[in-house]
Amino acid sequence: MTAAPPPVFRLENLRKTYGEGEAAVHALRGVNLTVEEGELLVLLGPSGSGKSTLLNILGGLDRPTAGHTYFRDLDLATAPDAEVTRYRRLNVGFVFQFYNLIASLTAAENVELVTEIAENPMPAREALALVGLAARTHHFPAQLSGGEQQRVAIARAIAKRPTVLLCDEPTGALDVATGVHVLKAIVTANERLRTTTLVITHNADIARIGDRVVRFADGTIRSVEKNPQRISPDELRW
Amino acid sequence: MRLSPLDRKLLRDLKRLRTQAVAVAGVLACGVALFVMATGMYDSLERARDAYYDSARMADLAVSVVRAPDPVAEELALLPGVNALEARVSGIGLLDLAGKSDPVSARLVSLPPDRRPRVNDVLLREGRWPNPARDNEVLINEAFAEANALAPGMQLRALIYGRYRVLEITGIASSPEFISAVAPGALLPEPERFGVIWMGREALGRAFDVDGAFNDVVLRLAPGANARDTIAAIDARLARYGGRGAYGRDRMLSAQFLADELASLRTMAAILPPIFMLVAVFLLNVSLSRLVATERSNIGLLKSFGYSNAAVAFHYGKFALAFGLLGAAVGVVTGRLIGNYMAILYAKVYRIPALQFDAELHIYVWAVVVALVAAVLGAAQAVRRATQLPPAAALAPPAPTSFGRLGATVERAARNLDGKTRMVVRRIARFPRRAATTVTGIALGLALLITSQHFPLSMNHIVDVTFGVAQRMDATLTFAETADDQILTEVARLPGVFSVEPMRAAEVIFTAGSRQRRDTLMGLPENAYLFRVLDQKMMPVAMRGDGVTLSYNLAQKLGVTVGDTVHMQATEGQRASADLLVIAVVKPYLAGAAYMELNALGRTLREPGRVNAAYVLFDSARREALDRRIKELPMISGVSFLDSASASMRKLLSQGSGFFSYMFIVFSCLMAGGVAFSAARVTFAEQERDLATLRVLGFGRREVSYVLLAEIGALLIIALPLGAVLGAALSRWLMTQFQTDLFTFPFITDSAAYGKSALFVVLAVVGAALAVRRGVDRLDMVGVLKSRD
């Protein structure tokens, strides 16, 4: 029997408060969670339940008010700014609800923007092929549909072969058919590259594509459930 | 009063956009300030001059005469067109000032015994009027008193018409006739070496041996009088007494200096403010276009609520008006402050009573109107876009900005660039008009600075050429009267003198067709060495006897060129007249005249062998001995030393130029910095999301700052050579615009002028860009990514 690999993330009593005194908003009220290597985790919960705050802290975009966020041995809560930037550069791939592509760069160039600064990236074309966009590499964002733009964003996120892929409502702005395409791209990345993936959604159906489902409410984790079987995005209906 | 919700929105938006507003309004304010200052100063100076001329009854015409009996003056006063007339005694005397070895000369002017002068009144500034019963009491002019530390109660030793007299100063005075007092034969005032002395008519008449007669007439014309007719009548009446021809204010040097200054103020007011206004219009256009773009959904909402197009247009138009009003207010206040300071400088130089900066209301009104019009023009396009947006389109999310590919060549080159640089290149190519605005604004700022650096260069060059290449004498000795050339032998015998060159000058009237011009005709030896007339290539022009060489200004005024003939009428001596062939036209920097070979001029004037002045070289070790000897010689009425003339001229030309160059540096840097700040702000606002995305993707602050600053840096690099070319062209053009009868400004260039200006502009742009760059440190990665756009 071999020892299990160490977890990718280890969160200890994580708290995040915005504002002070009576106006204080407690976004996270003591979250404990462990995320294993290669796992696809779905964070489910209503708006304002704290899931986006958690994702931002995991991505090194925000810092907790109290507690610890370990990425392997690095405590993101206390690491210096430059260290956190380096963590983002080498380990994190982001996918956002509104794509956030650079309008002045083509699909391939948006991906190359990241591969230029990564240590062991895959070629931009390969990343785009992985999300089914091999034919659209030279198009500018303005020439692509919403779904295509989101898939470029996913290609950009995975091209650096990140350790973790963080997706915040990746299908939020898309229709069902397009959303399925996007989720397939995320699942493909997770399966082929063994990228630890966290997907935020408030759509309970989508939760079925993950290994585990973490339910959020009011800044705390209400439950963590293991899906008996991951289903393919193709089988989703919502 | 309750503000409408839209107005409250306006106030809050203005507060949010305050830095942007300051940049745009700052550039606008520079234009307004220059306009208020230059136009206001022009008006104030012109008004103060006219008031002074009126109250002190400045002469319209003047004429000198060898000697006319007093009763002739009464006849002259009755001639048609003459309003008031003063017949005076006037002449040049040498002074021996205590503590000053170089001789100093002065124009002596008579005061009527029992009344104030009817024309060219004298204003007592200090002390008392001379007692008519005491013939050695005098007044001296203010500038001369100040330059030589003379005060009432002190005494002067004067050599008048061969006799020494001790004069007692009773008061310090000024007169519109001598706002700038210029020695005969000199070009510029030198208060240290030339003064004006007013003394009793009788005493001065006796001193100059014109008892019961006069040799100088100044008069004022009746309203509506024809100057030409009056001049003709006076000349006819004075001909038999040796009248030298009446002339107007255009030949009175003091009046001409002032007219020149007014002309350059007018030029400045006409040229500089529009440049700033133009840049402000572009800046407003860029800022407001950006505002409308960010306000897209708000515009949709307002329209969907039922606000009319006009209401929406007015709302956004108010932004422009607010920017315009801010610029106008700051500009008016700054313009007034600069104007007040300039008035103090002018008052020091010209000593015009009651000269203060007093711009009339209409100037301020114009300044505000022009600022508002500039603002509205700048906003027009953005406001039109706001009203044209259909509500549904405005409410929908904007499509990503479309970036087409650049031209194939540029794309091929771009392939070698990294992603960040490609972003920069594509943005510049995608918004060419905005890039052009930034480049133009920075380039104009640089061009203005370069221009301001060129004026001192030009002035120094004038002095260097005039007193180094053209004039090479150590001193000019002016004779009391036109003298026989035997006098040169005497001059050569003066202590230390080892080289003498003669000069003959005659006041003549040139006529070509219907054009007439009174000017000096100078006679110089064929290969003059000490006083040389130079052509445009700085080569000496040989004096010829077969015709006349004219200065460019004079040739222009007469409308003649080489090969034409001009008629010359001498105003003195034999009053000879002749038709002369124009054989050359030269362009001297300082008040040019007409030139002929000395002997040929003598023959033409029918007075051969006569001279007016001598240029000399002397052994500087014997200067004191020479000074002493000159003070004893009645034949010499004035001495001008090249070293002191050159120093006075440098001083005169640099008066106030230090302040001007400082003002230019501030204004030009404000323009370049304001433009760069606006451009960087708009770039930052538009790219905030992209920059935040880059940060999220793992780019460091420095790398993200690069994307922001490389754009402004690239535009700066384009603007620098463009600004240098513009600056050279603007300088060259302005030199011709500031040209007057007295001065021609050559375009002299120097790489330091460009280098220094570029350095200032680069500092201003870098400062502005770094101020915007601080935004990168405050990028809200989470917030930006959560929002749609």
Side-chain angles (χ1 to χ4, degrees):
Chain A
M1 203 176 118
T2 53
V8 175
F9 287 119
R10 192 157 45 83
L11 312 183
E12 294 176 0
N13 198 21
L14 204 61
R15 290 173 184 278
K16 178 73 184 178
T17 309
Y18 294 104
E20 282 174 18
E22 284 187 16
V25 174
H26 302 281
L28 295 175
R29 302 165 184 263
V31 170
N32 293 290
L33 182 70
T34 307
V35 182
E36 303 296 339
E37 180 107 39
E39 210 178 357
L40 198 164
L41 205 67
V42 176
L43 308 180
L44 201 63
S47 291
S49 58
K51 52 191 194 308
S52 284
T53 304
L54 177 67
L55 202 75
N56 290 336
I57 291 173
L58 291 179
L61 300 181
D62 205 353
R63 293 192 190 251
T65 315
H68 297 283
T69 322
Y70 289 104
F71 166 76
R72 292 184 176 145
D73 295 328
L74 177 72
D75 187 356
L76 295 173
T78 55
D81 253 0
E83 192 68 22
V84 176
T85 299
R86 190 177 149 75
Y87 156 71
R88 281 203 305 272
R89 179 184 280 226
L90 300 181
N91 297 296
V92 185
F94 275 107
V95 177
F96 302 98
Q97 183 177 359
F98 299 114
Y99 334 134
N100 287 81
L101 296 180
I102 308 285
S104 56
L105 298 178
T106 61
E109 289 165 352
N110 260 286
V111 178
E112 283 163 4
L113 194 62
V114 167
T115 58
E116 269 170 20
I117 58 167
E119 281 183 344
N120 177 32
M122 67 176 80
R125 284 187 148 277
E126 189 184 326
L128 285 166
L130 210 62
V131 296
L133 280 179
R136 313 283 278 170
T137 54
H138 294 307
H139 288 68
F140 283 93
Q143 298 162 328
L144 299 170
S145 70
E148 287 172 327
Q149 287 186 52
Q150 188 61 300
R151 282 188 283 158
V152 174
I154 294 169
R156 182 175 69 182
I158 61 175
K160 65 163 97 159
R161 302 183 201 275
T163 317
V164 293
L165 180 62
L166 305 176
C167 312
D168 194 352
E169 300 271 11
T171 58
L174 303 172
D175 60 61
V176 177
T178 317
V180 168
H181 262 306
V182 167
L183 290 175
K184 275 166 73 178
I186 292 171
V187 169
T188 307
N190 170 253
E191 285 172 353
R192 295 222 196 133
L193 307 173
R194 296 294 300 148
T195 309
T196 308
T197 305
L198 279 81
V199 177
I200 283 186
T201 180
H202 56 261
N203 184 326
D205 257 350
I206 293 177
R208 293 159 62 204
I209 68 167
D211 294 307
R212 283 193 297 161
V213 181
V214 181
R215 286 179 196 276
F216 268 80
D218 209 15
T220 54
I221 295 177
R222 285 296 152 89
S223 68
V224 179
E225 296 158 19
K226 202 170 166 65
N227 277 331
Q229 194 180 5
R230 274 167 60 162
I231 67 159
S232 160
D234 280 330
E235 298 168 43
L236 289 176
R237 293 287 174 272
W238 73 84
Chain B
M1 192 184 78
R2 254 183 81 80
L3 285 175
S4 73
L6 269 190
D7 284 339
R8 253 175 286 157
K9 171 181 174 307
L10 174 77
L11 287 179
R12 281 186 199 133
D13 286 343
L14 280 174
K15 195 174 161 200
R16 186 166 53 84
L17 294 169
R18 61 188 178 274
T19 46
Q20 193 81 349
V22 165
V24 178
V27 175
L28 200 55
C30 288
V32 171
L34 273 173
F35 175 78
V36 167
M37 182 276 285
T39 318
M41 199 62 238
Y42 176 87
D43 276 7
S44 307
L45 187 57
E46 192 182 46
R47 232 177 306 129
R49 177 194 68 174
D50 292 348
Y52 189 28
Y53 279 5
D54 270 354
S55 69
R57 302 182 292 283
M58 167 74 172
D60 294 312
L61 298 177
V63 56
S64 67
V65 54
V66 174
R67 182 197 164 103
D70 280 342
V72 176
E74 284 159 36
E75 291 172 37
L76 290 178
L78 296 174
L79 287 176
V82 177
N83 190 342
L85 180 139
E86 193 66 53
R88 318 185 293 189
V89 174
S90 167
I92 300 290
L94 266 189
L95 302 181
D96 185 10
L97 291 188
K100 207 162 205 165
S101 63
D102 286 348
V104 166
S105 53
R107 170 163 291 281
L108 293 119
V109 180
S110 67
L111 286 171
D114 45 0
R115 58 176 170 82
R116 296 277 285 269
R118 291 195 185 99
V119 178
N120 287 350
D121 193 9
V122 178
L123 270 74
L124 188 68
R125 298 286 186 127
E126 199 187 325
R128 61 167 176 85
W129 289 90
N131 182 344
R134 305 185 59 178
D135 61 6
N136 69 334
E137 291 192 347
V138 299
L139 299 177
I140 61 170
N141 73 316
E142 212 178 356
F144 181 64
E146 218 163 85
N148 292 293
L150 297 171
M154 292 168 86
Q155 292 188 331
L156 291 171
R157 217 166 141 252
L159 181 64
I160 305 172
Y161 214 61
R163 271 190 58 202
Y164 265 110
R165 293 163 175 275
V166 175
L167 305 177
E168 191 172 329
I169 303 169
T170 64
I172 311 293
S174 63
S175 156
E177 186 181 5
F178 299 109
I179 288 174
S180 310
V182 183
L187 295 169
L188 301 167
E190 268 190 272
E192 292 86 1
R193 270 151 239 287
F194 184 76
V196 181
I197 295 176
W198 289 273
M199 64 188 276
R201 167 79 192 265
E202 230 170 286
L204 198 60
R206 276 200 306 278
F208 278 111
D209 200 17
V210 280
D211 224 1
F214 61 90
N215 66 1
D216 180 62
V217 178
V218 285
L219 62 96
R220 274 173 77 81
L221 290 170
N226 182 325
R228 242 177 133 149
D229 293 347
T230 310
I231 288 174
I234 291 170
D235 288 353
R237 189 70 196 87
L238 288 179
R240 52 190 285 223
Y241 302 107
R244 296 195 174 98
Y247 54 89
R249 285 184 188 167
D250 62 332
R251 285 292 291 167
M252 299 176 191
L253 263 182
S254 176
Q256 223 181 328
F257 272 115
L258 213 46
D260 269 15
E261 188 64 45
L262 283 168
S264 53
L265 275 174
R266 173 164 275 182
T267 308
M268 183 154 82
I271 293 171
L272 296 179
I275 295 179
F276 283 92
M277 296 292 181
L278 193 71
V279 173
V281 167
F282 282 125
L283 277 187
L284 258 170
N285 180 282
V286 170
S287 310
L288 276 173
S289 300
R290 170 65 203 159
L291 178 72
V292 170
T294 57
E295 289 277 297
R296 208 181 144 87
S297 58
N298 286 339
I299 293 169
L301 269 178
L302 290 175
K303 286 193 172 186
S304 71
F305 292 159
Y307 278 94
S308 69
N309 277 345
V312 172
F314 188 51
H315 175 64
Y316 289 98
K318 279 186 197 163
F319 279 93
L321 292 177
F323 285 20
L325 275 177
L326 180 65
V330 174
V332 161
V333 171
T334 314
R336 250 198 94 92
L337 287 175
I338 299 174
N340 283 336
Y341 181 70
M342 282 204 38
I344 294 171
L345 287 184
Y346 275 120
K348 249 189 223 160
V349 176
Y350 293 116
R351 296 159 202 283
I352 297 177
L355 171 59
Q356 50 185 357
F357 186 77
D358 182 18
E360 283 185 17
L361 184 65
H362 70 88
I363 290 175
Y364 296 115
V365 172
W366 262 112
V368 174
V369 168
V370 169
L372 291 184
V373 168
V376 169
L377 275 181
Q381 192 197 24
V383 169
R384 203 174 55 234
R385 205 176 301 151
T387 55
Q388 279 171 352
L389 221 50
L395 283 168
T401 310
S402 168
F403 281 87
R405 284 182 168 274
L406 310 174
T409 327
V410 184
E411 273 300 334
R412 223 168 307 143
R415 209 174 296 158
N416 299 320
L417 301 172
D418 62 59
K420 298 192 298 291
T421 309
R422 226 176 282 156
M423 285 171 72
V424 173
V425 173
R426 288 225 177 92
R427 270 186 60 83
I428 293 175
R430 174 66 181 79
F431 303 107
R433 209 186 52 183
R434 183 191 304 160
T437 301
T438 308
V439 167
T440 310
I442 297 174
L444 279 174
L446 177 59
L448 282 177
L449 257 180
I450 288 172
T451 305
S452 75
Q453 300 280 318
H454 272 111
F455 275 91
L457 280 178
S458 182
M459 290 172 181
N460 276 328
H461 182 75
I462 292 178
V463 180
D464 290 345
V465 168
T466 307
F467 298 112
V469 187
Q471 303 187 16
R472 304 193 290 185
M473 72 296 273
D474 289 331
T476 305
L477 310 182
T478 309
F479 304 133
E481 299 177 320
T482 306
D484 192 275
D485 57 13
Q486 293 296 315
I487 199 171
L488 300 173
T489 324
E490 280 179 62
V491 170
R493 281 204 295 263
L494 290 174
V497 169
F498 56 81
S499 183
V500 181
E501 212 171 81
M503 188 275 275
R504 168 84 164 106
E507 276 279 301
V508 303
I509 294 165
F510 289 108
T511 314
S514 61
R515 303 192 191 194
Q516 207 172 57
R517 177 83 187 157
R518 189 186 167 105
D519 217 317
T520 308
L521 178 56
M522 274 178 88
L524 295 165
E526 185 178 350
N527 288 308
Y529 176 79
L530 297 183
F531 185 105
R532 306 189 301 174
V533 178
L534 302 175
D535 66 13
Q536 302 229 16
K537 292 185 186 121
M538 296 289 112
M539 295 305 290
V541 176
M543 291 292 112
R544 285 160 58 178
D546 54 343
V548 65
T549 298
L550 298 183
S551 75
Y552 177 78
N553 271 345
L554 182 56
Q556 288 270 307
K557 290 219 163 71
L558 292 171
V560 294
T561 179
V562 174
D564 292 343
T565 303
V566 290
H567 180 76
M568 180 281 298
Q569 167 70 58
T571 62
E572 54 196 15
Q574 299 292 322
R575 288 165 200 286
S577 66
D579 285 333
L580 300 172
L581 181 70
V582 179
I583 51 171
V585 172
V586 293
K587 202 169 182 179
Y589 300 143
L590 279 177
Y595 310 90
M596 278 182 85
E597 193 277 324
L598 180 72
N599 296 320
L601 176 62
R603 287 193 298 275
T604 306
L605 295 173
R606 297 206 306 273
E607 296 170 3
R610 312 282 290 173
V611 294
N612 295 87
Y615 302 118
V616 299
L617 289 177
F618 59 81
D619 176 1
S620 57
R622 303 193 61 195
R623 183 159 175 168
E624 276 191 38
L626 177 67
D627 282 345
R628 268 199 308 276
R629 183 74 186 107
I630 287 173
K631 288 177 190 171
E632 294 164 2
L633 290 178
M635 63 185 188
I636 293 170
S637 68
V639 189
S640 159
F641 291 93
L642 194 79
D643 51 2
S644 54
S646 148
S648 312
M649 180 155 161
R650 259 183 231 284
K651 199 173 143 196
L652 182 88
L653 289 177
S654 67
Q655 251 160 9
S657 73
F659 171 70
F660 264 106
S661 103
Y662 180 71
M663 188 179 83
F664 262 96
I665 291 173
V666 171
F667 279 19
S668 309
C669 288
L670 270 178
M671 172 160 8
V675 169
F677 183 81
S678 283
R681 273 296 305 169
V682 168
T683 302
F684 181 72
E686 284 180 352
Q687 288 200 289
E688 196 167 3
R689 198 177 159 78
D690 284 355
L691 299 179
T693 303
L694 289 177
R695 288 283 285 135
V696 169
L697 292 177
F699 285 92
R701 281 186 189 147
R702 202 175 294 175
E703 291 162 310
V704 174
S705 300
Y706 167 78
V707 175
L708 177 68
L709 299 184
E711 182 173 332
I712 209 78
L715 297 180
L716 175 64
I717 287 168
I718 299 169
L720 287 178
L722 186 69
V725 173
L726 262 176
L730 187 65
S731 305
R732 199 180 277 272
W733 182 66
L734 274 183
M735 294 294 162
T736 63
Q737 294 302 300
F738 278 98
Q739 178 179 322
T740 63
D741 278 358
L742 293 176
F743 290 98
T744 303
F745 291 103
F747 174 68
I748 300 301
T749 194
D750 172 3
S751 53
Y754 295 90
K756 224 163 87 184
S757 309
L759 182 70
F760 274 115
V761 167
V762 168
L763 286 178
V765 171
V766 167
L770 289 181
V772 175
R773 196 219 64 87
R774 283 183 310 167
V776 171
D777 299 338
R778 295 194 292 255
L779 276 176
D780 178 4
M781 288 185 261
V782 175
V784 164
L785 296 176
K786 276 284 171 198
S787 62
R788 193 175 61 183
D789 192 9

